[in-house]
Amino acid sequence: MKGSRFSEEQIIGILKEQDAGSKTADICRRHGISDATFYKWKAKYGGLEVSEAKRLKALEDENAKLKKLLAEAMLDNAVLKDLAAKKW
């Protein structure tokens, strides 16, 4: 997946510009983003502070690692079951 060219701090700064009263279309034009991107960011980061956004990113990374470990463990378990069934 392609990474964003904006950091969480920059995204939150852009969202706070709109909270300060700037028009969404002007903000999007100034930063070179689409309206859809702006509203996607607002849904994800709206109301968050920078520290909270960093914590959210850390939790998402940890969740991805745990999902990968679970998938590998389930695959190993399935292979062991197949071997045990064929051996007897």
Side-chain angles (χ1 to χ4, degrees):
M1 188 167 87
K2 183 178 176 186
S4 176
R5 60 184 177 145
F6 296 97
S7 66
E8 286 90 6
E9 295 88 2
Q10 291 171 323
I11 292 171
I12 291 171
I14 292 169
L15 293 175
K16 287 188 179 193
E17 285 181 34
Q18 195 233 7
D19 291 341
S22 298
K23 292 187 178 183
T24 304
D26 295 336
I27 295 169
C28 293
R29 194 175 319 111
R30 189 174 332 122
H31 295 286
I33 58 173
S34 68
D35 288 345
T37 299
F38 179 85
Y39 288 113
K40 184 173 70 171
W41 287 349
K42 190 169 184 172
K44 185 172 183 179
Y45 297 107
L48 292 181
E49 294 298 322
V50 175
S51 61
E52 294 169 334
K54 286 183 180 181
R55 177 77 176 135
L56 175 65
K57 180 69 174 161
L59 289 173
E60 288 174 344
D61 291 343
E62 183 182 1
N63 191 26
K65 288 178 187 175
L66 291 173
K67 283 183 178 181
K68 184 178 178 184
L69 287 172
L70 177 64
E72 290 173 354
M74 291 176 72
L75 183 61
D76 290 344
N77 193 7
V79 168
L80 290 173
K81 283 183 180 179
D82 284 345
L83 287 175
K86 289 179 182 178
K87 198 169 192 177
W88 299 107

